[in-house]
Amino acid sequence: MFMTFRRIRKCQCMQLVTTCLVLSVVMVCWEQMDSSFVSHVKSYSHRYLINRFVVINKSLTIPREQARRFSNFRYLMDHPDKCVGEDILLLLFVKSSPENTERRNAIRSTWGNETYIQNTLGATVKVVFALGAPQTKKEEPSWSKRSGVGFQNQLFHENRLYGDLIQQDFLDSFHNLTLKLILQFHWMHSRCAHARFFMTADDDIFIHMPNLVKHLQDVSSRGVMDFWIGRVHRGAPPIRNNDSKYYVPFEMYPWVVYPDYTAGAGYVVSRDVADKIYQATLTLNASLYIDDVFMGICAHAIGVSPQEHLFFAGEGKAPYHPCIYDQMMTSHGHVEDIYDLWKAAIHPEVKERITWLTGRLYCTAVKLSLLCKPYYLDTYPCKAAFS
Ligand SMILES: *[C@@H]1O[C@H](CO)[C@@H](O)[C@H](O)[C@H]1NC(C)=O
Ligand SMILES: *[C@@H]1O[C@H](CO)[C@@H](O)[C@H](O)[C@H]1NC(C)=O
Ligand SMILES: *[C@@H]1O[C@H](CO)[C@@H](O)[C@H](O)[C@H]1NC(C)=O
Ligand SMILES: *[C@@H]1O[C@H](CO)[C@@H](O)[C@H](O)[C@H]1NC(C)=O
Ligand SMILES: *[C@@H]1O[C@H](CO)[C@@H](O)[C@H](O)[C@H]1NC(C)=O
């Protein structure tokens, strides 16, 4: 009796000492602790404990006449008849910079080949590129190929060849990406409103078109609404560090957390959502230049929230492996390897090998080893190994 009592006392004492030690370490290090960690804690607590989103919506609502300045840019290239008279499964906008001709060509001859999609997958998908006006570089003479005017002529030429460039005359720059987002939803509203799905993607993305088309056909046959899938960011804090590409000043966005949104690398919404987003852009202040966050704000204003799809990538590149290709939807950061990846990913052997039980078990093991790494790797989440 006495012995157990003493042991308990000793245990409690040790616990107390450890707790004190941990607390003092935390208190001493608090100042030095990464400020991004603190902002994540803050943003999470706001997202889950205090709902400030109503305020966000109200503060960013502006009169229609003022919101119009984010969308009334002149079209330099347009294709009003692109969608006329066709049953379109997916309208796919690729956000491309004028100078990325190589990337556009790679997309046209791999996953973005409309003829291939029609003939092999039996679906009508329209792939178009959203562009702003090229930057004029002051130091270069006007007759130079890369200068604004000369380069614009090259774009006209490219457009005559392929007929898939949609361009407005705002300056194409990182900080104008929200204008590009608005361009896409407005174009869909006026030119392609009957497409069943809308997707927007970066020009360095790889899309496994057969998997995506199949998924959207399944979803479409069930007649879903309020559909929005991608890699979801929940409770992300604005970045207040000046050096970051994603820096957002306090005056532009004073709250500690963004509404949930999907990574701009690539996401899909259903027709009804696209239409409501269009409506939201008519009354929101689009000064916030991070386009995927702005999409989150629009979606919040219309009451739609994103759903995570395990095989949509955020910043990261998917591992190269047939077991991954079997389920992959998008993977980010592909430029030179896009031709090889496309060939490997749609190879019939991928499906054949995996349909057998042994193939499935083997793939689960492979995915576990590829996706469930102890260190942080921004590819598909570990959960994806079990799906
Ligand atoms: C697209 O696919 C079709 C049929 O598969 C092929 O004939 C055509 O050359 C491809 N287009 C490009 C740009 O590679
Ligand atoms: C965005 O485009 C507008 C219109 O061309 C231009 O005046 C503005 O400077 C651009 N903003 C940025 C940050 O590039
Ligand atoms: C942020 O950048 C501006 C210039 O763009 C500079 O004047 C200012 O000092 C910077 N602030 C911090 C905290 O680094
Ligand atoms: C939109 O927000 C910006 C700051 O991000 C602000 O300067 C501007 O005045 C706002 N526009 C309107 C019409 O309220
Ligand atoms: C956002 O604000 C608009 C205009 O004030 C309103 O119509 C809409 O219902 C609001 N949405 C939410 C989710 O509060």
Side-chain angles (χ1 to χ4, degrees):
M1 180 67 192
F2 185 65
M3 283 292 287
T4 27
F5 183 66
R6 276 231 334 232
R7 204 172 290 149
I8 291 170
R9 285 281 294 271
K10 213 170 152 188
C11 270
Q12 282 181 337
C13 205
M14 281 304 288
Q15 252 181 10
L16 204 70
V17 170
T18 327
T19 315
C20 285
L21 211 72
V22 169
L23 271 177
S24 48
V25 167
V26 167
M27 273 162 71
V28 168
C29 298
W30 186 255
E31 288 293 310
Q32 285 101 312
M33 231 193 270
D34 195 3
S35 68
S36 87
F37 172 75
V38 176
S39 61
H40 270 91
V41 170
K42 267 210 272 188
S43 69
Y44 263 83
S45 43
H46 272 269
R47 179 180 186 276
Y48 293 106
L49 303 175
I50 315 160
N51 197 339
R52 301 280 286 275
F53 293 148
V54 179
V55 188
I56 296 179
N57 180 30
K58 281 223 182 83
S59 322
L60 293 182
T61 300
I62 55 174
R64 275 168 189 263
E65 312 78 63
Q66 284 172 29
R68 202 168 291 137
R69 79 177 170 93
F70 298 107
S71 64
N72 67 350
F73 295 97
R74 191 164 53 95
Y75 278 104
L76 299 173
M77 289 188 256
D78 188 10
H79 296 280
D81 302 330
K82 192 87 187 166
C83 297
V84 170
E86 282 185 274
D87 177 17
I88 292 160
L89 179 68
L90 173 67
L91 170 66
L92 202 166
F93 262 107
V94 180
K95 300 171 266 181
S96 190
S97 297
E99 64 275 16
N100 290 345
T101 318
E102 292 295 323
R103 292 187 187 187
R104 289 191 291 276
N105 281 335
I107 291 171
R108 286 178 185 120
S109 47
T110 56
W111 58 259
N113 183 338
E114 290 175 1
T115 320
Y116 172 87
I117 299 168
Q118 186 76 67
N119 295 351
T120 315
L121 309 175
T124 307
V125 173
K126 296 288 172 188
V127 181
V128 289
F129 297 91
L131 291 89
Q135 318 230 6
T136 318
K137 296 209 176 66
K138 292 241 158 51
E139 67 274 19
E140 283 172 286
S142 61
W143 43 264
S144 155
K145 258 178 142 185
R146 306 298 290 188
S147 83
V149 180
F151 198 61
Q152 183 60 39
N153 285 333
Q154 274 190 34
L155 291 174
F156 285 137
H157 177 69
E158 183 183 336
N159 187 46
R160 272 195 300 278
L161 281 180
Y162 302 106
D164 56 5
L165 303 185
I166 311 286
Q167 186 190 32
Q168 275 185 343
D169 74 344
F170 56 81
L171 190 67
D172 196 293
S173 68
F174 177 75
H175 287 108
N176 268 343
L177 272 176
T178 297
L179 299 183
K180 201 175 267 190
L181 181 84
I182 290 173
L183 150 71
Q184 297 165 53
F185 281 106
H186 282 240
W187 194 85
M188 169 145 177
H189 175 80
S190 58
R191 311 284 194 222
C192 206
H194 61 285
R196 279 183 260 167
F197 295 94
F198 164 95
M199 178 171 189
T200 176
D202 286 348
D203 63 1
D204 58 347
I205 202 152
F206 178 83
I207 300 180
H208 196 300
M209 200 49 90
N211 289 351
L212 179 67
V213 162
K214 181 162 186 313
H215 185 61
L216 294 182
Q217 282 170 334
D218 288 350
V219 168
S220 174
S221 67
R222 282 184 273 127
V224 256
M225 310 251 301
D226 284 349
F227 179 83
W228 176 19
I229 56 166
R231 165 64 62 91
V232 181
H233 290 286
R234 288 185 212 284
I239 292 174
R240 304 298 191 197
N241 173 7
N242 223 350
D243 309 329
S244 169
K245 184 179 168 191
Y246 300 105
Y247 166 71
V248 166
F250 190 79
E251 306 80 61
M252 186 169 277
Y253 191 89
W255 303 282
V256 297
V257 59
Y258 289 138
D260 295 351
Y261 66 96
T262 47
Y267 54 86
V268 183
V269 299
S270 53
R271 169 169 58 200
D272 56 305
V273 173
D275 186 60
K276 284 189 271 182
I277 296 287
Y278 162 79
Q279 302 294 343
T281 64
L282 300 177
T283 59
L284 284 175
N285 184 342
S287 297
L288 185 76
Y289 43 65
I290 303 183
D291 63 330
D292 42 13
V293 171
F294 183 71
M295 168 73 186
I297 291 172
C298 293
H300 177 261
I302 59 168
V304 173
S305 38
Q307 296 132 35
E308 176 91 351
H309 190 294
L310 296 175
F311 288 93
F312 271 73
E315 285 295 304
K317 214 178 235 188
Y320 299 96
H321 198 284
C323 292
I324 298 285
Y325 305 151
D326 183 42
Q327 287 168 299
M328 104 192 299
M329 290 286 176
T330 72
S331 176
H332 195 212
H334 297 277
V335 181
E336 287 89 17
D337 59 345
I338 192 167
Y339 293 94
D340 292 335
L341 181 55
W342 174 242
K343 255 188 247 150
I346 60 165
H347 201 284
E349 234 178 42
V350 171
K351 293 278 173 214
E352 281 162 21
R353 291 232 311 255
I354 293 161
T355 39
W356 298 94
L357 180 62
T358 46
R360 278 211 295 275
L361 288 175
Y362 163 73
C363 271
T364 305
V366 167
K367 284 187 286 180
L368 272 170
S369 73
L370 290 174
L371 304 177
C372 303
K373 300 252 166 90
Y375 49 90
Y376 181 71
L377 203 130
D378 188 21
T379 169
Y380 305 134
C382 179
K383 275 190 290 197
F386 303 99
S387 61

